[in-house]
Amino acid sequence: MSLIIMLITCPSVLFALGNVIVYSPDKQVRLEVFNKAGALSYNIQYKNKAVINASALHISVDKSVLTNHATITGNSTYSINESYPWYGAHSLAVNHFNGAKIKLQHGKISYQLDVRVFNDAAAFSFIIPGNKNDKRIPDETTEFNVPAGSTIWYHDLNGHYEGQHTKKSIDSISAGQWIAPPATFKLPGNAGYASITEADLKNYAGMALQSAGQGKLVLQLADHHPISHPYELRYSKDDIARVSKPAAINGTITTPWRVVMIGSDLNTLVNCDAVHNLCPPPDKKYFPDGILTSWIKPGRAVWQYLDGAGDKTVNNMKEYSRLAAELGFEHNILEGFWEKWSDDEIKDLTSYSKQKGVGIWVWMHSKDLRDASVRQAKFKRCHDLGISGLKIDFFDNEAKEVVDLYQDILVETAQLHLLVDFHGSNKPTGQLRTWPNELTREAVKGMESSRLADRATHSTTLPFTRFLAGPAEYTPVHFGERRKNTTWTNQIASAIILSAPVLTYAASPQHLLDNPGVDIIKSIPSVWDETIVLKPSAIGELAVFARRKGNTWFLAVMNGTQPKTIQIPLSFLKNSAKCASLTDVPDNAGALKMGDSVAKPTDMVSLNLGVGGGYVARFNLK
């Protein structure tokens, strides 16, 4: 009877008989915490169907397991319903959840499990109090028991977070297999989709997942991860030994949020705000207007690296800035050759580029930034030379010392109004909300990977896997051999679908200007007001996105390896619009056809898509 009374008086959180159930605001998602055979456990349901079956929660401190024989002694509830400006799939993020701080007791140790449940996600974090001088080593092996019959898309950790996804039944993944978050899976019986990752990673080691067989995925911290190939390539045996040791935490231990994004369709997953919602808002000391602070400047970038780059001189980089301005792009990203120039040469470039409305970014190796005084001197020099942003590379590991380096870099660049692009990096964990000066990071097998033969499958998988964690610098759009089994139109569509607040193009600016689709290319923004993933989309097979910026809609289609005939309703248009379109030319992947028409919301676009085919349309609303 008491349970029924609580359901009526407090329907969002239930606490009875040692169990706690937290419901989402719309009551469709629920996370339950309970004791099972002496182990603290949880499950997650969506519309009364399992997303995560009963799974053990497991955290230890100095090898003492706090979640075994732990008692739930109470909870305090809270909720938030807010919105805030965002650079990503939409311009306004919604942060609406019900939460509970669950009080736990293990012997003499009191600690908490913080739970938040959104309409499209559930998340939890452990908080273990400690004195500021306490130095303790945490470890976690929390389980995620994925329902039998689910299909999962994953890649391993060999390339750190630069991998190519495999599609498998969860039941067929053998014990020992490593899985890099976010791990996206489709539930059986068309019950929906989910994706496992983490949020607000700081002062802690990063997590990956390891299969224990039979659908059980186990959280593992970075000291347990296999050393990635790029880390072995670039770092010493001493470095490897050091990052392979468990990391100690001073004072209170607060784990990152363990997040499961949930939705009935792919549109819900792509528009999920939970990962960044779980991070603190930006500090007004650094960002007085939050993400809209004046020196935070998203935009499109040219890049001298992959496509007929020419010489590495100041004059050539001036030409790149001139061409960037002709395209209407806002940034010019330089690789490491800039370090050979004098201060006067660099100032000459930054001054010239600023006159063109183009900011200069420069590459650095993260290994050279470990010493705080050296790092701060380098950043100060860049600021004084008029450099806008830093592309910092080769982290290749997510041990706590590497995570701490990210944080130090973000603080120190924010103080100097420098923008940041992390390469050779781990997955994003939503901290673009806290530190909006980080406009993107790599953590993806992008256009730099010349050996990736099946780009059509890869690029139709990424929007629903890696990109769920945050923007990725895929460096889209290449018109040469590097595009592999995709068409020119598919490549232009990738700039719309594989988007990032700093959108760096792989193609040289001259090749962009020479392409017949240049008018549409010039108009593609790097941030969006609204995104709709349309229903023909299927992971690894087809991506169909409608995205709006102001009064302009873009429709972008990328096909996988199977030819398709599809129809796309234009019901996302609110009224008639002038339409400019790009379509494939049959039997010529290196060409495209332009079209102009007037489109109505009642119209249907009919497409015959070949292998790696594409389609792009721009609708200017009347």
Side-chain angles (χ1 to χ4, degrees):
M1 179 63 78
S2 62
L3 180 62
I4 296 174
I5 291 171
M6 292 194 71
L7 180 60
I8 295 170
T9 58
C10 184
S12 299
V13 180
L14 307 181
F15 174 50
L17 303 176
N19 287 21
V20 178
I21 303 175
V22 184
Y23 285 90
S24 60
D26 67 0
K27 307 299 186 294
Q28 298 300 304
V29 180
R30 54 166 262 175
L31 187 152
E32 180 180 9
V33 179
F34 54 95
N35 272 294
K36 179 181 179 182
L40 195 66
S41 301
Y42 76 103
N43 63 45
I44 300 173
Q45 292 185 1
Y46 174 60
K47 295 184 177 179
N48 297 317
K49 293 186 177 180
V51 176
I52 300 293
N53 288 320
S55 302
L57 291 158
H58 194 284
I59 189 166
S60 64
V61 174
D62 293 336
K63 299 185 178 180
S64 175
V65 181
L66 303 187
T67 41
N68 285 354
H69 307 292
T71 304
I72 300 173
T73 61
N75 74 92
S76 58
T77 63
Y78 65 112
S79 63
I80 287 179
N81 188 2
E82 64 176 355
S83 59
Y84 55 90
W86 188 240
Y87 289 143
H90 38 250
S91 56
L92 197 67
V94 175
N95 185 20
H96 189 195
F97 67 83
N98 293 319
K101 293 182 184 290
I102 301 170
K103 299 174 183 177
L104 299 165
Q105 192 73 33
H106 175 82
K108 295 181 179 180
I109 300 175
S110 300
Y111 64 107
Q112 290 184 341
L113 180 69
D114 197 352
V115 172
R116 295 182 184 179
V117 183
F118 306 80
N119 292 342
D120 53 9
F124 53 87
S125 165
F126 285 103
I127 304 167
I128 304 166
N131 297 319
K132 64 179 182 180
N133 294 325
D134 289 346
K135 194 168 187 177
R136 300 171 295 170
I137 296 175
D139 199 8
E140 294 181 75
T141 52
T142 288
E143 298 171 359
F144 297 84
N145 286 320
V146 177
S150 297
T151 301
I152 188 169
W153 288 261
Y154 70 93
H155 70 76
D156 62 21
L157 298 174
N158 182 58
H160 197 37
Y161 282 87
E162 298 175 29
Q164 189 172 358
H165 289 79
T166 297
K167 174 186 176 182
K168 275 190 178 181
S169 165
I170 191 67
D171 314 287
S172 68
I173 296 181
S174 58
Q177 174 65 55
W178 286 96
I179 294 172
T184 300
F185 54 96
K186 183 178 182 180
L187 295 160
N190 293 316
Y193 296 84
S195 191
I196 303 167
T197 192
E198 66 179 330
D200 201 25
L201 171 60
K202 63 190 178 193
N203 192 35
Y204 210 81
M207 66 159 263
L209 299 167
Q210 188 176 29
S211 172
Q214 298 182 322
K216 180 184 293 185
L217 306 181
V218 181
L219 188 160
Q220 298 281 9
L221 298 183
D223 57 287
H224 300 290
H225 300 178
I227 297 298
S228 71
H229 174 68
Y231 196 87
E232 281 186 317
L233 193 66
R234 299 182 179 112
Y235 290 88
S236 70
K237 290 181 179 179
D238 288 343
D239 290 323
I240 291 170
R242 192 178 62 255
V243 299
S244 299
K245 293 178 180 177
I249 309 288
N250 290 327
T252 295
I253 296 170
T254 302
T255 73
W257 291 92
R258 285 56 182 101
V259 189
V260 182
M261 293 174 269
I262 305 162
S264 59
D265 54 27
L266 295 174
N267 181 56
T268 304
L269 279 191
V270 167
N271 280 285
C272 181
D273 289 318
V275 174
H276 40 274
N277 284 343
L278 290 160
C279 298
D283 188 333
K284 289 189 178 297
K285 177 174 65 176
Y286 303 116
F287 310 102
D289 296 314
I291 203 166
L292 301 179
T293 297
S294 61
W295 60 273
I296 305 297
K297 295 180 178 178
R300 292 75 50 84
V302 297
W303 179 40
Q304 190 259 27
Y305 191 66
L306 288 183
D307 186 25
D311 58 51
K312 300 175 175 62
T313 62
V314 173
N315 284 338
N316 193 37
M317 287 303 95
K318 281 185 173 181
E319 178 65 2
Y320 263 63
S321 291
R322 186 190 71 78
L323 294 171
E326 189 174 338
L327 286 161
F329 288 9
E330 296 83 358
H331 306 286
N332 179 3
I333 297 179
L334 279 59
E335 290 300 306
F337 55 80
W338 73 280
E339 294 176 326
K340 297 178 181 178
W341 299 344
S342 69
D343 285 5
D344 286 343
E345 287 176 313
I346 296 167
K347 281 183 179 178
D348 183 29
L349 173 62
T350 58
S351 297
Y352 174 86
S353 301
K354 186 176 181 180
Q355 293 171 10
K356 297 289 184 183
V358 175
I360 294 296
W361 294 54
V362 296
W363 181 94
M364 290 183 177
H365 196 311
S366 62
K367 185 166 60 175
D368 299 331
L369 304 178
R370 291 175 173 177
D371 182 285
S373 60
V374 172
R375 179 175 68 243
Q376 290 160 15
K378 284 178 177 285
F379 293 172
K380 177 69 162 54
R381 176 178 178 240
C382 287
H383 170 269
D384 293 348
L385 292 173
I387 287 166
S388 299
L390 309 177
K391 177 179 176 178
I392 303 175
D393 208 347
F394 300 150
F395 294 87
D396 301 321
N397 191 281
E398 53 188 339
K400 180 180 176 295
E401 69 169 55
V402 182
V403 173
D404 291 345
L405 180 58
Y406 285 120
Q407 291 294 303
D408 291 339
I409 290 169
L410 288 168
V411 173
E412 292 161 13
T413 52
Q415 292 168 343
L416 293 168
H417 294 188
L418 290 168
L419 304 173
V420 181
D421 169 6
F422 288 125
H423 264 238
S425 59
N426 70 321
K427 61 193 174 297
T429 63
Q431 287 211 321
L432 279 74
R433 183 185 184 194
T434 309
W435 301 102
N437 54 319
E438 182 197 330
L439 284 175
T440 191
R441 65 173 62 193
E442 190 180 25
V444 69
K445 190 182 248 334
M447 196 60 73
E448 283 189 70
S449 177
S450 61
R451 296 180 182 177
L452 203 165
D454 184 7
R455 199 163 289 281
T457 298
H458 187 58
S459 59
T460 52
T461 301
L462 291 175
F464 315 112
T465 51
R466 161 63 183 85
F467 275 79
L468 299 181
E473 182 151 82
Y474 181 84
T475 61
V477 186
H478 198 288
F479 300 121
E481 188 273 339
R482 193 174 285 265
R483 63 184 163 78
K484 302 298 184 183
N485 59 342
T486 63
T487 66
W488 274 12
T489 314
N490 180 299
Q491 285 296 304
I492 296 171
S494 73
I496 298 166
I497 295 174
L498 305 178
S499 190
V502 164
L503 184 61
T504 305
Y505 279 75
S508 74
Q510 190 62 59
H511 286 163
L512 294 173
L513 287 163
D514 292 343
N515 191 275
V518 65
D519 176 63
I520 285 181
I521 292 170
K522 286 181 175 181
S523 66
I524 296 170
S526 66
V527 294
W528 301 94
D529 292 330
E530 185 177 355
T531 294
I532 305 171
V533 181
L534 298 174
K535 284 188 176 180
S537 298
I539 303 175
E541 300 175 22
L542 182 68
V544 183
F545 277 50
R547 286 189 143 158
R548 179 179 63 83
K549 181 68 173 179
N551 290 321
T552 303
W553 279 95
F554 289 80
L555 176 61
V557 180
M558 296 191 302
N559 191 33
T561 58
Q562 297 302 313
K564 294 179 182 66
T565 298
I566 62 171
Q567 291 191 316
I568 306 169
L570 300 184
S571 53
F572 55 85
L573 299 175
K574 300 307 178 188
N575 48 50
S576 295
K578 183 180 178 181
C579 173
S581 63
L582 305 175
T583 54
D584 293 330
V585 174
D587 302 320
N588 188 355
L592 55 80
K593 183 169 61 177
M594 296 174 289
D596 290 293
S597 62
V598 174
K600 302 186 296 295
T602 54
D603 288 346
M604 194 85 69
V605 172
S606 298
L607 298 175
N608 293 312
L609 298 166
V611 174
Y615 176 78
V616 176
R618 182 185 63 207
F619 303 93
N620 293 316
L621 296 177
K622 293 185 175 180

